[in-house]
Amino acid sequence: MALNGMAPASINVIQPPTYGKSITILSIDGGGIRGLIPGVILGFLESELQKLDGEQVRLADYFDVISGTSTGGLVTAMLTAPDENNRPLFSAKDIKDFYLEHCPKIFPQEHYNYLPGSAEKIVKAISGPKYDGKYLHELLHEKLGDIKLHETLTNVVIPTFDIKLLQPTVFSSYAVKHHPSLDANLRDICIGTSAAPTYLPGHYFKTGDSDGNERRFNLIDGGVAANNPALVAINEVTKEVSRGNTDFFAMHPLEYNKFVVLSLGTGTSQGEGKYHAELAAKWGIVGWLTNGGSTPLIDAFMQASSDMVDFHLSTIFQALQSEDNYLRIQDDTLTGDLASVDVATKENLENLVQVGEKLLKKPVSKTNLQTGICQVLDKGTNEDALKRLAQTLSQEKRLRDIMSPNVHKSRSA
């Protein structure tokens, strides 16, 4: 069985960590159209894994948990939702073309092509979201159909925020075993976690069980709770270890040096001084919601969330002398339209692809919380680090395949 207990035994299905040495986690930040940047990174990683283990392998074959917020939640669903052959609907290399094709329709520029600060834009920002979300709803209904959370090919963790309850709701493959009401359609989860305030409308839906019990959800963007979901994913695993889940080898719940984490950002303009106090001091509601073609309030809480998680995990892995187990890839040099979440022009989307490609060639770095600027580490380029990670993931998978009786039974069959 796969970790979620759904897929039949197969040499392509990731075996539980109890048969290996590590717990592997992939985390993808929110960021709208900037999801193209981690999409490029993931395409490279998957290609390296295919060099090692064959063209048929996919990222879901290697990560115990894939976690994503907002646009990262959409990528998570793409990588883990099963097709008719019980393999991922999308390969990592498909993400780029998916975004290039559909982002201009999700964020149609002709419907909101006003000058920054114009009366039309201010009225729109106050009266309702920029975009109606209809195309996104139709697209996810077409691609994901009625696939439910428990059917993903590996464990997923997708944060959202329930605006009625004013608290986070985390859709987790682990939690759904204990709380069946979380077993929603993946399309609803993706729409909910992507409903960024001022950009897309909140999403309401309900789930039910065989006894007629209902649970209602009133969701907005998961970035309100955790724009960088890496820590949420680790927390979900830690709770399972505490519960004695047999998928995990004997370990202490806080033994973080057993985790191998790849955390992907979607880029930021942090190092460029996009805003400053003298300017912000003059803002009221309108200024915080629409200024210079962006939304400062949204930018602020999403970036703060992402950086604090990165800072916390960097400190933990350093303290445990396992820094190599945590790789955070982020670009802090975005400016202008590149830093937006919704300027989905052909030119800007193609430029974001180039940002991802250039990021692969940049040196491994980490965020300095004092300055907000990435500091270069002496570990080669991000490309080099991903190649090393591919080797680690491949070796871990091979060890599990050797040790797991499920794989041997599958091969005999």
Side-chain angles (χ1 to χ4, degrees):
M1 301 289 281
L3 285 180
N4 59 17
M6 290 301 299
S10 165
I11 59 173
N12 288 325
V13 172
I14 187 170
Q15 300 302 312
T18 190
Y19 301 118
K21 295 181 178 179
S22 304
I23 300 168
T24 54
I25 294 177
L26 167 62
S27 172
I28 310 157
D29 284 16
I33 60 171
R34 300 199 312 266
L36 270 165
I37 297 173
V40 171
I41 304 299
L42 292 173
F44 177 82
L45 175 60
E46 190 169 86
S47 70
E48 289 300 308
L49 289 166
Q50 289 171 343
K51 290 177 184 178
L52 296 170
D53 297 330
E55 289 294 321
Q56 79 283 357
V57 301
R58 298 290 183 265
L59 292 175
D61 302 329
Y62 296 87
F63 286 100
D64 296 309
V65 183
I66 300 181
S67 181
T69 296
S70 193
T71 195
L74 176 57
V75 172
T76 296
M78 292 172 67
L79 296 175
T80 62
D83 64 13
E84 64 276 7
N85 298 313
N86 214 36
R87 296 294 291 149
L89 274 175
F90 294 85
S91 66
K93 68 179 180 181
D94 295 329
I95 296 171
K96 179 182 74 173
D97 290 339
F98 180 91
Y99 272 67
L100 291 175
E101 177 183 355
H102 296 292
C103 280
K105 301 171 186 176
I106 296 171
F107 304 112
Q109 302 302 288
E110 65 272 15
H111 291 170
Y112 198 72
N113 193 25
Y114 310 127
L115 293 174
S118 69
E120 294 95 336
K121 186 170 186 178
I122 292 173
V123 170
K124 181 67 175 178
I126 294 174
S127 62
K130 274 189 178 184
Y131 310 102
D132 60 24
K134 290 181 180 179
Y135 183 83
L136 178 62
H137 288 218
E138 293 170 357
L139 176 65
L140 293 178
H141 190 279
E142 174 193 344
K143 300 297 183 182
L144 297 177
D146 295 325
I147 297 172
K148 290 188 176 295
L149 175 61
H150 78 270
E151 296 179 272
T152 56
L153 295 174
T154 191
N155 294 293
V156 301
V157 175
I158 302 177
T160 67
F161 190 84
D162 194 304
I163 192 65
K164 184 174 182 179
L165 301 177
L166 287 180
Q167 66 181 31
T169 297
V170 177
F171 289 90
S172 160
S173 299
Y174 297 116
V176 77
K177 299 173 186 177
H178 310 284
H179 305 284
S181 61
L182 290 172
D183 195 22
N185 288 328
L186 272 182
R187 66 172 188 267
D188 285 318
I189 298 172
C190 288
I191 293 169
T193 194
S194 301
T198 76
Y199 290 96
L200 289 164
H203 187 50
Y204 167 81
F205 64 93
K206 59 186 178 180
T207 59
D209 60 25
S210 56
D211 296 325
N213 299 313
E214 288 186 349
R215 179 168 177 179
R216 300 170 186 271
F217 298 91
N218 298 266
L219 304 182
I220 61 172
D221 196 323
V224 173
N227 199 52
N228 175 346
L231 194 56
V232 179
I234 291 175
N235 183 59
E236 288 296 301
V237 172
T238 300
K239 287 191 293 185
E240 287 303 297
V241 175
S242 298
R243 289 180 176 127
N245 187 328
T246 56
D247 278 346
F248 300 96
F249 41 76
M251 62 175 285
H252 189 276
L254 297 180
E255 201 171 3
Y256 282 10
N257 58 337
K258 299 293 186 182
F259 290 91
V260 174
V261 180
L262 171 61
S263 176
L264 301 181
T266 57
T268 172
S269 58
Q270 194 172 32
E272 296 295 324
K274 188 175 182 180
Y275 309 116
H276 54 82
E278 185 178 357
L279 179 63
K282 303 173 184 177
W283 293 341
I285 292 176
V286 173
W288 279 101
L289 292 180
T290 173
N291 194 288
S294 61
T295 308
L297 185 61
I298 306 298
D299 289 349
F301 72 66
M302 285 189 173
Q303 196 54 51
S305 168
S306 294
D307 281 354
M308 289 303 292
V309 169
D310 180 30
F311 179 71
H312 178 70
L313 290 179
S314 294
T315 302
I316 286 178
F317 280 95
Q318 184 177 11
L320 294 173
Q321 298 182 331
S322 55
E323 291 178 88
D324 290 343
N325 286 18
Y326 175 66
L327 176 61
R328 171 73 171 170
I329 299 181
Q330 172 74 304
D331 191 314
D332 70 341
T333 64
L334 304 186
T335 59
D337 289 347
L338 288 175
S340 77
V341 300
D342 67 328
V343 180
T345 62
K346 179 180 180 182
E347 178 184 11
N348 196 45
L349 294 174
E350 291 176 347
N351 286 341
L352 284 169
V353 172
Q354 293 179 22
V355 169
E357 293 170 346
K358 291 177 181 177
L359 186 55
L360 286 169
K361 305 295 183 181
K362 289 184 177 182
V364 177
S365 60
K366 68 176 181 180
T367 300
N368 183 322
L369 198 65
Q370 302 302 317
T371 66
I373 299 174
C374 291
Q375 293 180 323
V376 173
L377 304 177
D378 186 22
K379 295 183 178 180
T381 66
N382 290 317
E383 223 174 49
D384 296 331
L386 289 167
K387 288 179 180 178
R388 291 192 293 269
L389 176 61
Q391 289 280 354
T392 298
L393 293 172
S394 177
Q395 290 169 6
E396 175 70 14
K397 184 177 188 304
R398 292 179 186 184
L399 174 61
R400 295 187 192 185
D401 287 348
I402 290 172
M403 300 301 294
S404 172
N406 295 326
V407 173
H408 300 309
K409 290 177 183 177
S410 175
R411 285 172 175 161
S412 298

